[in-house]
Amino acid sequence: MMSLPLVTVVTPTMNRPAELVRAMHSVAAQRGVRVEHLVIGDNCPALTDALVAELSRRFPHAIVRNVTGAEHAALPQDYLPARLGALRNGAVAVASGEWIAQLDDDNEFEPDHLRSLLDCLAANPGVEVAHSWRRLVAPDGSPYVAAENPWHPDPALRASSYARLVELGVFEPGSPVVRDALRAGGREFNGVDTSEVLVSRRLYRRFPYPTEFSRWWRKLEWTDDYAWCVLLDRAKVPMVCSERATLRYYMGGYSNAAVLR
């Protein structure tokens, strides 16, 4: 076992204990790797001492802590993606793994997610970032087949955006799989979700998640993962894709909740 690579998985969480347990189960089920799971509460009342003790017993590979008080007050408070970026960066600063993955608390890895990304990197020497595709899932666990782009900030443009993404091969009508990419149609796209990515710790420390978002970025509703992908793309950091949907992405998170209302 000690010869297997160690991957640190970072999960920020905020008052979704049932979803968090589901995510933690999926990390514990990873095959072909060793995992260290850093779970970071965002001033999370649900992370009681009793729950932390229970999670630590059920998932001995996990370290669960809640950022509260003065430490939490020092984080960005007026824009959620900025605070998430700071929480992610703080966890990476104490990570032990050579490789870093992110898993939002409402998503799940398939059992071979991390191993397939490591294999993808091994087949591309010198590349330090790999990502998967994702499979959309409704809150009840059934496949979610999109008929519009659920992440477009303007509801009136979601249908036309979806049609364009079908042309670019990101969506396929009738399929719950999103074929995410850093670039689409030869242009900047930056559609890779945080939970799809595996990155070397060395590269992550060169490109931490942004914690400051300009007025323009906020107007465009840039998320932490979109802004991070922009940084990598503009620095021409190579990224490879496994072309496998090994992330189960549950609809209804903060960036797509309006679709399910």
Side-chain angles (χ1 to χ4, degrees):
M1 282 291 294
M2 292 303 293
S3 64
L4 294 175
L6 176 63
V7 179
T8 296
V9 179
V10 175
T11 297
T13 187
M14 178 59 180
N15 290 332
R16 293 192 282 204
E19 290 86 346
L20 175 61
V21 169
R22 183 181 66 198
M24 294 181 75
H25 272 296
S26 78
V27 173
Q30 291 301 291
R31 298 189 292 242
V33 297
R34 292 180 296 134
V35 293
E36 170 190 63
H37 195 182
L38 304 182
V39 177
I40 311 298
D42 183 9
N43 195 25
C44 182
L47 276 183
T48 62
D49 291 344
L51 179 58
V52 170
E54 178 188 349
L55 294 175
S56 299
R57 177 183 58 80
R58 293 174 65 181
F59 304 103
H61 63 285
I63 300 170
V64 183
R65 64 181 298 265
N66 198 10
V67 177
T68 60
E71 185 181 5
H72 188 267
L75 298 172
Q77 298 296 319
D78 60 343
Y79 193 61
L80 178 57
R83 190 167 73 252
L84 285 173
L87 289 167
R88 298 185 198 281
N89 294 341
V92 173
V94 298
S96 300
E98 178 185 357
W99 299 96
I100 306 294
Q102 303 279 342
L103 178 63
D104 289 347
D105 64 356
D106 57 339
N107 294 330
E108 286 180 285
F109 290 154
E110 296 290 356
D112 60 344
H113 175 76
L114 296 177
R115 182 71 255 179
S116 64
L117 292 176
L118 286 168
D119 290 344
C120 185
L121 288 165
N124 293 272
V127 179
E128 297 183 82
V129 191
H131 70 91
S132 68
W133 289 338
R134 57 183 145 168
R135 186 177 306 276
L136 303 185
V137 182
D140 64 2
S142 62
Y144 181 92
V145 178
E148 60 182 13
N149 179 3
W151 302 287
H152 198 289
D154 186 345
L157 298 177
R158 286 176 179 160
S160 59
S161 176
Y162 174 83
R164 176 60 176 155
L165 292 176
V166 168
E167 292 177 5
L168 295 173
V170 176
F171 283 107
E172 180 180 329
S175 172
V177 173
V178 184
R179 295 160 177 79
D180 288 308
L182 199 62
R183 301 186 72 81
R187 300 180 62 183
E188 186 179 90
F189 176 60
N190 302 316
V192 179
D193 185 78
T194 308
S195 299
E196 295 175 300
V197 175
L198 182 69
V199 59
S200 75
R201 185 174 58 182
R202 177 177 57 188
L203 185 66
Y204 193 111
R205 287 177 173 168
R206 284 177 53 210
F207 294 95
Y209 272 80
T211 57
E212 295 183 5
F213 285 69
S214 68
R215 225 179 260 180
W216 178 242
W217 285 13
R218 296 179 187 213
K219 183 177 181 179
L220 294 175
E221 299 183 15
W222 280 21
T223 56
D224 48 322
D225 47 1
Y226 185 88
W228 186 74
C229 283
V230 168
L231 294 179
L232 264 64
D233 187 49
R234 294 181 181 176
K236 301 189 183 317
V237 174
M239 183 183 295
V240 292
C241 180
S242 67
E243 298 187 354
R244 296 183 57 193
T246 54
L247 173 70
R248 288 172 57 84
Y249 182 95
Y250 282 80
M251 301 300 291
Y254 84 89
S255 63
N256 54 71
V259 178
L260 300 180
R261 286 177 188 158

